[in-house]
Short mmCIF file of all heavy atoms in Angstrom, two decimals:
data_model
loop_
_atom_site.label_atom_id
_atom_site.label_comp_id
_atom_site.label_asym_id
_atom_site.label_seq_id
_atom_site.Cartn_x
_atom_site.Cartn_y
_atom_site.Cartn_z
N ASN A 39 -30.42 50.13 -98.39
CA ASN A 39 -31.25 50.75 -97.36
C ASN A 39 -31.21 52.27 -97.42
O ASN A 39 -32.03 52.94 -96.78
CB ASN A 39 -30.79 50.30 -95.98
CG ASN A 39 -29.32 50.57 -95.73
OD1 ASN A 39 -28.48 50.33 -96.59
ND2 ASN A 39 -28.98 51.07 -94.55
N GLN A 40 -30.29 52.82 -98.17
CA GLN A 40 -30.09 54.27 -98.16
C GLN A 40 -30.87 54.93 -99.30
O GLN A 40 -30.32 55.59 -100.18
CB GLN A 40 -28.60 54.59 -98.24
CG GLN A 40 -27.84 54.07 -97.02
CD GLN A 40 -26.35 54.34 -97.08
OE1 GLN A 40 -25.87 55.06 -97.94
NE2 GLN A 40 -25.62 53.75 -96.15
N THR A 41 -32.18 54.74 -99.26
CA THR A 41 -33.07 55.33 -100.24
C THR A 41 -34.15 56.12 -99.52
O THR A 41 -34.47 55.85 -98.35
CB THR A 41 -33.73 54.26 -101.12
OG1 THR A 41 -34.61 53.47 -100.30
CG2 THR A 41 -32.68 53.35 -101.77
N GLU A 42 -34.74 57.07 -100.22
CA GLU A 42 -35.83 57.84 -99.63
C GLU A 42 -37.05 56.95 -99.37
O GLU A 42 -37.76 57.14 -98.38
CB GLU A 42 -36.20 59.00 -100.56
CG GLU A 42 -35.19 60.13 -100.56
CD GLU A 42 -34.99 60.73 -99.18
OE1 GLU A 42 -36.00 60.95 -98.47
OE2 GLU A 42 -33.83 60.97 -98.79
N GLU A 43 -37.25 55.98 -100.24
CA GLU A 43 -38.38 55.08 -100.07
C GLU A 43 -38.25 54.30 -98.77
O GLU A 43 -39.21 54.17 -97.99
CB GLU A 43 -38.47 54.12 -101.25
CG GLU A 43 -39.63 53.13 -101.15
CD GLU A 43 -39.67 52.17 -102.32
OE1 GLU A 43 -38.79 52.23 -103.19
OE2 GLU A 43 -40.60 51.34 -102.35
N PHE A 44 -37.04 53.77 -98.51
CA PHE A 44 -36.85 53.00 -97.28
C PHE A 44 -36.88 53.91 -96.05
O PHE A 44 -37.31 53.48 -94.97
CB PHE A 44 -35.55 52.21 -97.32
CG PHE A 44 -35.40 51.22 -96.20
CD1 PHE A 44 -36.30 50.18 -96.06
CD2 PHE A 44 -34.39 51.34 -95.28
CE1 PHE A 44 -36.18 49.27 -95.02
CE2 PHE A 44 -34.26 50.44 -94.24
CZ PHE A 44 -35.16 49.40 -94.11
N ALA A 45 -36.46 55.16 -96.19
CA ALA A 45 -36.49 56.10 -95.07
C ALA A 45 -37.92 56.35 -94.60
O ALA A 45 -38.14 56.71 -93.44
CB ALA A 45 -35.82 57.42 -95.46
N ARG A 46 -38.90 56.18 -95.48
CA ARG A 46 -40.29 56.34 -95.07
C ARG A 46 -40.77 55.18 -94.20
O ARG A 46 -41.77 55.29 -93.50
CB ARG A 46 -41.18 56.49 -96.31
CG ARG A 46 -41.01 57.83 -97.02
CD ARG A 46 -42.10 58.04 -98.05
NE ARG A 46 -41.89 57.23 -99.24
CZ ARG A 46 -41.16 57.62 -100.29
NH1 ARG A 46 -40.58 58.82 -100.29
NH2 ARG A 46 -41.00 56.83 -101.34
N ILE A 47 -40.04 54.07 -94.24
CA ILE A 47 -40.36 52.91 -93.41
C ILE A 47 -39.51 52.87 -92.16
O ILE A 47 -39.99 52.59 -91.06
CB ILE A 47 -40.16 51.62 -94.23
CG1 ILE A 47 -41.09 51.60 -95.44
CG2 ILE A 47 -40.37 50.36 -93.36
CD1 ILE A 47 -40.79 50.49 -96.42
N SER A 48 -38.22 53.18 -92.32
CA SER A 48 -37.27 53.12 -91.21
C SER A 48 -36.55 54.48 -91.11
O SER A 48 -35.77 54.82 -91.99
CB SER A 48 -36.25 52.00 -91.46
OG SER A 48 -35.27 51.97 -90.45
N ALA A 49 -36.82 55.23 -90.05
CA ALA A 49 -36.36 56.61 -89.97
C ALA A 49 -34.84 56.75 -90.10
O ALA A 49 -34.36 57.72 -90.67
CB ALA A 49 -36.82 57.23 -88.64
N PHE A 50 -34.10 55.78 -89.58
CA PHE A 50 -32.64 55.83 -89.67
C PHE A 50 -32.11 54.88 -90.75
O PHE A 50 -30.92 54.58 -90.79
CB PHE A 50 -32.02 55.51 -88.31
CG PHE A 50 -32.11 56.65 -87.34
CD1 PHE A 50 -33.28 56.86 -86.60
CD2 PHE A 50 -31.06 57.54 -87.18
CE1 PHE A 50 -33.38 57.92 -85.71
CE2 PHE A 50 -31.15 58.61 -86.30
CZ PHE A 50 -32.32 58.80 -85.57
N GLN A 51 -33.03 54.41 -91.60
CA GLN A 51 -32.68 53.57 -92.75
C GLN A 51 -31.91 52.32 -92.32
O GLN A 51 -30.98 51.88 -92.98
CB GLN A 51 -31.88 54.38 -93.79
CG GLN A 51 -32.67 55.56 -94.36
CD GLN A 51 -31.85 56.44 -95.27
OE1 GLN A 51 -30.87 57.02 -94.82
NE2 GLN A 51 -32.23 56.54 -96.52
N GLN A 52 -32.36 51.74 -91.22
CA GLN A 52 -31.73 50.54 -90.68
C GLN A 52 -32.70 49.36 -90.77
O GLN A 52 -33.92 49.54 -90.71
CB GLN A 52 -31.33 50.75 -89.22
CG GLN A 52 -30.28 51.83 -89.02
CD GLN A 52 -30.06 52.17 -87.56
OE1 GLN A 52 -30.89 51.88 -86.71
NE2 GLN A 52 -28.93 52.79 -87.26
N VAL A 53 -32.13 48.17 -90.94
CA VAL A 53 -32.92 46.96 -90.82
C VAL A 53 -32.71 46.37 -89.42
O VAL A 53 -31.65 46.59 -88.82
CB VAL A 53 -32.52 45.91 -91.90
CG1 VAL A 53 -32.93 46.39 -93.28
CG2 VAL A 53 -31.03 45.58 -91.85
N PRO A 54 -33.72 45.68 -88.89
CA PRO A 54 -34.99 45.34 -89.52
C PRO A 54 -36.00 46.48 -89.43
O PRO A 54 -35.87 47.37 -88.60
CB PRO A 54 -35.47 44.16 -88.68
CG PRO A 54 -34.93 44.47 -87.31
CD PRO A 54 -33.58 45.09 -87.54
N ALA A 55 -37.00 46.38 -90.30
CA ALA A 55 -38.18 47.24 -90.21
C ALA A 55 -39.38 46.37 -90.51
O ALA A 55 -39.32 45.49 -91.37
CB ALA A 55 -38.08 48.40 -91.18
N LEU A 56 -40.45 46.59 -89.79
CA LEU A 56 -41.65 45.77 -89.92
C LEU A 56 -42.82 46.67 -90.31
O LEU A 56 -42.98 47.77 -89.77
CB LEU A 56 -41.97 45.08 -88.59
CG LEU A 56 -43.17 44.14 -88.58
CD1 LEU A 56 -42.81 42.81 -89.24
CD2 LEU A 56 -43.66 43.89 -87.15
N VAL A 57 -43.62 46.20 -91.26
CA VAL A 57 -44.87 46.88 -91.60
C VAL A 57 -46.00 45.94 -91.22
O VAL A 57 -46.09 44.82 -91.72
CB VAL A 57 -44.93 47.25 -93.09
CG1 VAL A 57 -46.26 47.93 -93.40
CG2 VAL A 57 -43.77 48.17 -93.46
N ASP A 58 -46.85 46.41 -90.32
CA ASP A 58 -47.97 45.62 -89.80
C ASP A 58 -49.26 46.36 -90.12
O ASP A 58 -49.61 47.35 -89.47
CB ASP A 58 -47.80 45.44 -88.29
CG ASP A 58 -48.90 44.56 -87.69
OD1 ASP A 58 -49.81 44.15 -88.42
OD2 ASP A 58 -48.82 44.28 -86.47
N ASN A 59 -49.97 45.90 -91.14
CA ASN A 59 -51.22 46.54 -91.55
C ASN A 59 -51.06 48.04 -91.76
O ASN A 59 -51.87 48.85 -91.29
CB ASN A 59 -52.32 46.26 -90.52
CG ASN A 59 -52.72 44.80 -90.49
OD1 ASN A 59 -52.91 44.18 -91.53
ND2 ASN A 59 -52.83 44.23 -89.29
N GLY A 60 -50.00 48.41 -92.45
CA GLY A 60 -49.76 49.80 -92.78
C GLY A 60 -48.96 50.57 -91.74
O GLY A 60 -48.52 51.70 -92.01
N LEU A 61 -48.76 49.99 -90.58
CA LEU A 61 -47.98 50.64 -89.52
C LEU A 61 -46.53 50.21 -89.64
O LEU A 61 -46.22 49.01 -89.57
CB LEU A 61 -48.53 50.24 -88.15
CG LEU A 61 -47.73 50.75 -86.93
CD1 LEU A 61 -47.82 52.27 -86.83
CD2 LEU A 61 -48.26 50.10 -85.65
N ALA A 62 -45.63 51.16 -89.82
CA ALA A 62 -44.20 50.87 -89.93
C ALA A 62 -43.54 50.98 -88.57
O ALA A 62 -43.70 51.99 -87.88
CB ALA A 62 -43.54 51.82 -90.93
N ILE A 63 -42.80 49.95 -88.19
CA ILE A 63 -42.06 49.94 -86.92
C ILE A 63 -40.62 49.60 -87.23
O ILE A 63 -40.35 48.64 -87.95
CB ILE A 63 -42.63 48.90 -85.93
CG1 ILE A 63 -44.13 49.10 -85.73
CG2 ILE A 63 -41.91 48.96 -84.60
CD1 ILE A 63 -44.94 47.91 -86.09
N TRP A 64 -39.69 50.40 -86.73
CA TRP A 64 -38.28 50.12 -86.93
C TRP A 64 -37.61 49.99 -85.57
O TRP A 64 -38.18 50.34 -84.56
CB TRP A 64 -37.61 51.21 -87.78
CG TRP A 64 -37.88 52.61 -87.32
CD1 TRP A 64 -38.95 53.39 -87.67
CD2 TRP A 64 -37.11 53.39 -86.40
NE1 TRP A 64 -38.88 54.61 -87.03
CE2 TRP A 64 -37.75 54.64 -86.25
CE3 TRP A 64 -35.93 53.15 -85.70
CZ2 TRP A 64 -37.26 55.65 -85.43
CZ3 TRP A 64 -35.43 54.15 -84.88
CH2 TRP A 64 -36.09 55.39 -84.76
N ASP A 65 -36.41 49.42 -85.58
CA ASP A 65 -35.62 49.07 -84.40
C ASP A 65 -36.07 47.70 -83.92
O ASP A 65 -37.26 47.47 -83.64
CB ASP A 65 -35.75 50.08 -83.25
CG ASP A 65 -34.93 49.66 -82.04
OD1 ASP A 65 -33.73 49.91 -82.03
OD2 ASP A 65 -35.50 49.02 -81.13
N SER A 66 -35.12 46.77 -83.83
CA SER A 66 -35.46 45.38 -83.52
C SER A 66 -36.18 45.25 -82.18
O SER A 66 -37.11 44.44 -82.05
CB SER A 66 -34.19 44.51 -83.52
OG SER A 66 -33.27 44.95 -82.54
N HIS A 67 -35.80 46.04 -81.18
CA HIS A 67 -36.41 45.90 -79.86
C HIS A 67 -37.83 46.46 -79.86
O HIS A 67 -38.73 45.88 -79.24
CB HIS A 67 -35.53 46.57 -78.81
CG HIS A 67 -34.14 46.03 -78.82
ND1 HIS A 67 -33.10 46.70 -79.43
CD2 HIS A 67 -33.62 44.87 -78.35
CE1 HIS A 67 -32.00 45.98 -79.32
NE2 HIS A 67 -32.29 44.87 -78.68
N ALA A 68 -38.03 47.55 -80.57
CA ALA A 68 -39.39 48.09 -80.71
C ALA A 68 -40.28 47.08 -81.43
O ALA A 68 -41.45 46.89 -81.07
CB ALA A 68 -39.36 49.41 -81.46
N ILE A 69 -39.73 46.41 -82.44
CA ILE A 69 -40.49 45.41 -83.19
C ILE A 69 -40.85 44.24 -82.28
O ILE A 69 -42.00 43.76 -82.26
CB ILE A 69 -39.71 44.93 -84.42
CG1 ILE A 69 -39.56 46.08 -85.43
CG2 ILE A 69 -40.41 43.74 -85.07
CD1 ILE A 69 -38.60 45.77 -86.57
N LEU A 70 -39.89 43.74 -81.51
CA LEU A 70 -40.16 42.63 -80.60
C LEU A 70 -41.27 42.99 -79.61
O LEU A 70 -42.19 42.19 -79.36
CB LEU A 70 -38.90 42.24 -79.83
CG LEU A 70 -37.76 41.60 -80.63
CD1 LEU A 70 -36.55 41.37 -79.73
CD2 LEU A 70 -38.20 40.29 -81.28
N LEU A 71 -41.20 44.18 -79.05
CA LEU A 71 -42.21 44.59 -78.07
C LEU A 71 -43.56 44.78 -78.74
O LEU A 71 -44.60 44.42 -78.17
CB LEU A 71 -41.76 45.85 -77.35
CG LEU A 71 -40.64 45.64 -76.34
CD1 LEU A 71 -40.03 46.96 -75.90
CD2 LEU A 71 -41.16 44.87 -75.12
N HIS A 72 -43.58 45.34 -79.94
CA HIS A 72 -44.84 45.48 -80.67
C HIS A 72 -45.47 44.11 -80.90
O HIS A 72 -46.67 43.92 -80.65
CB HIS A 72 -44.60 46.17 -82.02
CG HIS A 72 -45.78 46.07 -82.94
ND1 HIS A 72 -46.87 46.91 -82.84
CD2 HIS A 72 -46.05 45.22 -83.98
CE1 HIS A 72 -47.76 46.59 -83.77
NE2 HIS A 72 -47.28 45.56 -84.47
N LEU A 73 -44.68 43.16 -81.38
CA LEU A 73 -45.21 41.83 -81.65
C LEU A 73 -45.72 41.16 -80.39
O LEU A 73 -46.78 40.50 -80.40
CB LEU A 73 -44.13 40.97 -82.31
CG LEU A 73 -43.74 41.36 -83.74
CD1 LEU A 73 -42.50 40.59 -84.18
CD2 LEU A 73 -44.89 41.13 -84.71
N ALA A 74 -44.98 41.32 -79.29
CA ALA A 74 -45.42 40.70 -78.04
C ALA A 74 -46.72 41.33 -77.55
O ALA A 74 -47.67 40.61 -77.19
CB ALA A 74 -44.33 40.84 -76.98
N HIS A 75 -46.80 42.63 -77.54
CA HIS A 75 -48.03 43.30 -77.09
C HIS A 75 -49.21 42.98 -77.99
O HIS A 75 -50.34 42.79 -77.51
CB HIS A 75 -47.81 44.81 -77.03
CG HIS A 75 -47.08 45.28 -75.82
ND1 HIS A 75 -47.67 45.39 -74.58
CD2 HIS A 75 -45.79 45.67 -75.65
CE1 HIS A 75 -46.79 45.83 -73.69
NE2 HIS A 75 -45.63 46.00 -74.32
N GLN A 76 -48.96 42.92 -79.28
CA GLN A 76 -50.05 42.75 -80.24
C GLN A 76 -50.49 41.30 -80.39
O GLN A 76 -51.69 41.02 -80.54
CB GLN A 76 -49.61 43.29 -81.60
CG GLN A 76 -50.72 43.40 -82.65
CD GLN A 76 -51.64 44.57 -82.41
OE1 GLN A 76 -51.39 45.39 -81.53
NE2 GLN A 76 -52.72 44.64 -83.15
N TYR A 77 -49.52 40.35 -80.35
CA TYR A 77 -49.84 38.98 -80.73
C TYR A 77 -49.44 37.92 -79.71
O TYR A 77 -49.94 36.80 -79.79
CB TYR A 77 -49.14 38.65 -82.06
CG TYR A 77 -49.51 39.58 -83.18
CD1 TYR A 77 -48.58 40.50 -83.68
CD2 TYR A 77 -50.78 39.56 -83.74
CE1 TYR A 77 -48.91 41.36 -84.72
CE2 TYR A 77 -51.12 40.43 -84.78
CZ TYR A 77 -50.18 41.32 -85.27
OH TYR A 77 -50.52 42.18 -86.29
N ALA A 78 -48.52 38.23 -78.79
CA ALA A 78 -48.00 37.19 -77.91
C ALA A 78 -47.69 37.75 -76.52
O ALA A 78 -46.54 37.78 -76.09
CB ALA A 78 -46.74 36.57 -78.52
N PRO A 79 -48.72 38.20 -75.80
CA PRO A 79 -48.48 38.82 -74.48
C PRO A 79 -47.84 37.88 -73.47
O PRO A 79 -47.28 38.35 -72.47
CB PRO A 79 -49.88 39.27 -74.04
CG PRO A 79 -50.83 38.44 -74.85
CD PRO A 79 -50.15 38.20 -76.16
N GLY A 80 -47.89 36.57 -73.72
CA GLY A 80 -47.24 35.64 -72.81
C GLY A 80 -45.73 35.79 -72.78
O GLY A 80 -45.07 35.27 -71.87
N TRP A 81 -45.18 36.49 -73.77
CA TRP A 81 -43.74 36.73 -73.81
C TRP A 81 -43.33 37.99 -73.03
O TRP A 81 -42.15 38.32 -72.98
CB TRP A 81 -43.26 36.82 -75.25
CG TRP A 81 -43.07 35.48 -75.87
CD1 TRP A 81 -44.02 34.69 -76.47
CD2 TRP A 81 -41.85 34.74 -75.93
NE1 TRP A 81 -43.46 33.51 -76.90
CE2 TRP A 81 -42.13 33.52 -76.58
CE3 TRP A 81 -40.55 34.99 -75.50
CZ2 TRP A 81 -41.15 32.55 -76.81
CZ3 TRP A 81 -39.58 34.03 -75.73
CH2 TRP A 81 -39.89 32.83 -76.38
N LEU A 82 -44.29 38.67 -72.43
CA LEU A 82 -43.99 39.82 -71.58
C LEU A 82 -43.92 39.35 -70.14
O LEU A 82 -44.78 38.60 -69.68
CB LEU A 82 -45.07 40.89 -71.75
CG LEU A 82 -45.22 41.46 -73.15
CD1 LEU A 82 -46.48 42.32 -73.24
CD2 LEU A 82 -43.98 42.27 -73.55
N ALA A 83 -42.89 39.78 -69.43
CA ALA A 83 -42.70 39.30 -68.05
C ALA A 83 -43.80 39.84 -67.15
O ALA A 83 -44.22 40.99 -67.27
CB ALA A 83 -41.34 39.76 -67.53
N PRO A 84 -44.27 39.02 -66.23
CA PRO A 84 -45.23 39.51 -65.23
C PRO A 84 -44.49 40.29 -64.14
O PRO A 84 -43.27 40.18 -63.99
CB PRO A 84 -45.82 38.22 -64.67
CG PRO A 84 -44.70 37.23 -64.79
CD PRO A 84 -43.96 37.59 -66.05
N GLN A 85 -45.25 41.07 -63.39
CA GLN A 85 -44.65 41.64 -62.18
C GLN A 85 -44.33 40.48 -61.24
O GLN A 85 -45.08 39.51 -61.19
CB GLN A 85 -45.64 42.61 -61.51
CG GLN A 85 -45.91 43.87 -62.30
CD GLN A 85 -44.69 44.80 -62.33
OE1 GLN A 85 -43.62 44.49 -61.80
NE2 GLN A 85 -44.85 45.95 -62.96
N PRO A 86 -43.21 40.52 -60.49
CA PRO A 86 -42.29 41.64 -60.33
C PRO A 86 -41.08 41.62 -61.27
O PRO A 86 -40.06 42.25 -60.96
CB PRO A 86 -41.83 41.46 -58.88
CG PRO A 86 -41.78 39.95 -58.74
CD PRO A 86 -42.92 39.41 -59.57
N HIS A 87 -41.19 40.93 -62.40
CA HIS A 87 -40.04 40.75 -63.28
C HIS A 87 -40.05 41.69 -64.49
O HIS A 87 -39.13 41.63 -65.32
CB HIS A 87 -39.99 39.30 -63.78
CG HIS A 87 -39.94 38.29 -62.68
ND1 HIS A 87 -38.88 38.20 -61.81
CD2 HIS A 87 -40.84 37.34 -62.29
CE1 HIS A 87 -39.12 37.22 -60.93
NE2 HIS A 87 -40.30 36.70 -61.20
N LEU A 88 -41.08 42.54 -64.58
CA LEU A 88 -41.20 43.39 -65.77
C LEU A 88 -40.03 44.36 -65.90
O LEU A 88 -39.49 44.57 -66.98
CB LEU A 88 -42.52 44.16 -65.72
CG LEU A 88 -42.93 44.91 -66.99
CD1 LEU A 88 -43.06 43.96 -68.17
CD2 LEU A 88 -44.23 45.66 -66.75
N GLY A 89 -39.63 44.97 -64.79
CA GLY A 89 -38.50 45.91 -64.83
C GLY A 89 -37.22 45.24 -65.30
O GLY A 89 -36.46 45.81 -66.09
N ALA A 90 -36.97 44.01 -64.83
CA ALA A 90 -35.77 43.29 -65.26
C ALA A 90 -35.83 42.98 -66.74
O ALA A 90 -34.81 43.02 -67.44
CB ALA A 90 -35.62 42.00 -64.44
N MET A 91 -37.03 42.68 -67.27
CA MET A 91 -37.16 42.42 -68.70
C MET A 91 -36.71 43.65 -69.50
O MET A 91 -35.92 43.55 -70.44
CB MET A 91 -38.60 42.06 -69.05
CG MET A 91 -38.80 41.72 -70.53
SD MET A 91 -40.55 41.63 -71.02
CE MET A 91 -40.90 43.39 -71.24
N TYR A 92 -37.22 44.81 -69.12
CA TYR A 92 -36.84 46.03 -69.84
C TYR A 92 -35.36 46.35 -69.65
O TYR A 92 -34.71 46.85 -70.57
CB TYR A 92 -37.71 47.20 -69.39
CG TYR A 92 -39.10 47.16 -69.96
CD1 TYR A 92 -40.21 46.95 -69.15
CD2 TYR A 92 -39.32 47.32 -71.34
CE1 TYR A 92 -41.50 46.91 -69.68
CE2 TYR A 92 -40.60 47.28 -71.87
CZ TYR A 92 -41.68 47.07 -71.04
OH TYR A 92 -42.94 47.02 -71.57
N ALA A 93 -34.82 46.07 -68.47
CA ALA A 93 -33.40 46.33 -68.23
C ALA A 93 -32.52 45.50 -69.16
O ALA A 93 -31.54 45.99 -69.73
CB ALA A 93 -33.05 46.07 -66.78
N TRP A 94 -32.87 44.22 -69.36
CA TRP A 94 -32.06 43.37 -70.22
C TRP A 94 -32.28 43.68 -71.70
O TRP A 94 -31.37 43.50 -72.51
CB TRP A 94 -32.30 41.90 -69.89
CG TRP A 94 -31.57 41.51 -68.64
CD1 TRP A 94 -32.08 41.39 -67.39
CD2 TRP A 94 -30.17 41.26 -68.54
NE1 TRP A 94 -31.08 41.08 -66.51
CE2 TRP A 94 -29.90 40.98 -67.18
CE3 TRP A 94 -29.11 41.23 -69.44
CZ2 TRP A 94 -28.62 40.68 -66.71
CZ3 TRP A 94 -27.83 40.93 -68.99
CH2 TRP A 94 -27.59 40.66 -67.65
N ILE A 95 -33.45 44.17 -72.06
CA ILE A 95 -33.63 44.69 -73.42
C ILE A 95 -32.69 45.88 -73.63
O ILE A 95 -32.07 46.02 -74.69
CB ILE A 95 -35.09 45.09 -73.67
CG1 ILE A 95 -35.98 43.84 -73.71
CG2 ILE A 95 -35.23 45.86 -74.99
CD1 ILE A 95 -37.47 44.14 -73.77
N SER A 96 -32.55 46.71 -72.60
CA SER A 96 -31.63 47.84 -72.68
C SER A 96 -30.19 47.37 -72.81
O SER A 96 -29.38 47.98 -73.53
CB SER A 96 -31.79 48.73 -71.44
OG SER A 96 -30.91 49.84 -71.49
N VAL A 97 -29.83 46.29 -72.13
CA VAL A 97 -28.49 45.72 -72.28
C VAL A 97 -28.24 45.32 -73.73
O VAL A 97 -27.17 45.58 -74.30
CB VAL A 97 -28.31 44.51 -71.33
CG1 VAL A 97 -27.03 43.75 -71.68
CG2 VAL A 97 -28.26 44.97 -69.88
N SER A 98 -29.22 44.72 -74.35
CA SER A 98 -29.08 44.35 -75.76
C SER A 98 -28.88 45.58 -76.63
O SER A 98 -28.03 45.60 -77.53
CB SER A 98 -30.31 43.58 -76.23
OG SER A 98 -30.25 43.32 -77.62
N ALA A 99 -29.67 46.62 -76.37
CA ALA A 99 -29.63 47.83 -77.20
C ALA A 99 -28.40 48.69 -76.94
O ALA A 99 -28.02 49.50 -77.80
CB ALA A 99 -30.89 48.66 -76.97
N ASN A 100 -27.77 48.51 -75.80
CA ASN A 100 -26.62 49.36 -75.44
C ASN A 100 -25.34 48.55 -75.29
O ASN A 100 -24.48 48.58 -76.15
CB ASN A 100 -26.94 50.14 -74.15
CG ASN A 100 -28.01 51.18 -74.37
OD1 ASN A 100 -27.76 52.24 -74.94
ND2 ASN A 100 -29.23 50.90 -73.93
N GLU A 101 -25.21 47.80 -74.20
CA GLU A 101 -23.95 47.10 -73.94
C GLU A 101 -23.59 46.09 -75.03
O GLU A 101 -22.45 46.06 -75.51
CB GLU A 101 -24.01 46.42 -72.57
CG GLU A 101 -23.83 47.36 -71.39
CD GLU A 101 -25.10 48.09 -70.99
OE1 GLU A 101 -26.15 47.88 -71.66
OE2 GLU A 101 -25.07 48.86 -70.02
N ILE A 102 -24.54 45.26 -75.44
CA ILE A 102 -24.23 44.28 -76.49
C ILE A 102 -24.03 44.98 -77.83
O ILE A 102 -23.13 44.64 -78.60
CB ILE A 102 -25.33 43.21 -76.58
CG1 ILE A 102 -25.30 42.34 -75.32
CG2 ILE A 102 -25.16 42.34 -77.83
CD1 ILE A 102 -26.43 41.31 -75.24
N ALA A 103 -24.85 45.98 -78.10
CA ALA A 103 -24.75 46.71 -79.36
C ALA A 103 -23.45 47.50 -79.48
O ALA A 103 -23.05 47.88 -80.59
CB ALA A 103 -25.94 47.67 -79.52
N ASN A 104 -22.77 47.74 -78.36
CA ASN A 104 -21.51 48.48 -78.39
C ASN A 104 -20.30 47.60 -78.08
O ASN A 104 -19.21 48.12 -77.85
CB ASN A 104 -21.57 49.64 -77.40
CG ASN A 104 -22.49 50.74 -77.87
OD1 ASN A 104 -22.28 51.32 -78.93
ND2 ASN A 104 -23.54 51.02 -77.12
#
Side-chain angles (χ1 to χ4, degrees):
N39 56 316
Q40 297 178 9
T41 66
E42 287 301 317
E43 180 182 2
F44 190 62
R46 288 192 285 272
I47 299 170
S48 177
F50 285 83
Q51 298 174 298
Q52 297 171 341
V53 291
L56 182 77
V57 179
D58 183 356
N59 293 315
L61 175 67
I63 306 121
W64 50 273
D65 179 82
S66 61
H67 304 101
I69 293 170
L70 292 176
L71 287 167
H72 167 81
L73 291 170
H75 281 283
Q76 190 75 7
Y77 303 109
W81 280 85
L82 299 170
Q85 292 290 2
H87 303 295
L88 190 59
M91 183 192 81
Y92 284 113
W94 283 100
I95 292 172
S96 180
V97 169
S98 174
N100 291 283
E101 283 82 359
I102 292 175
N104 289 300

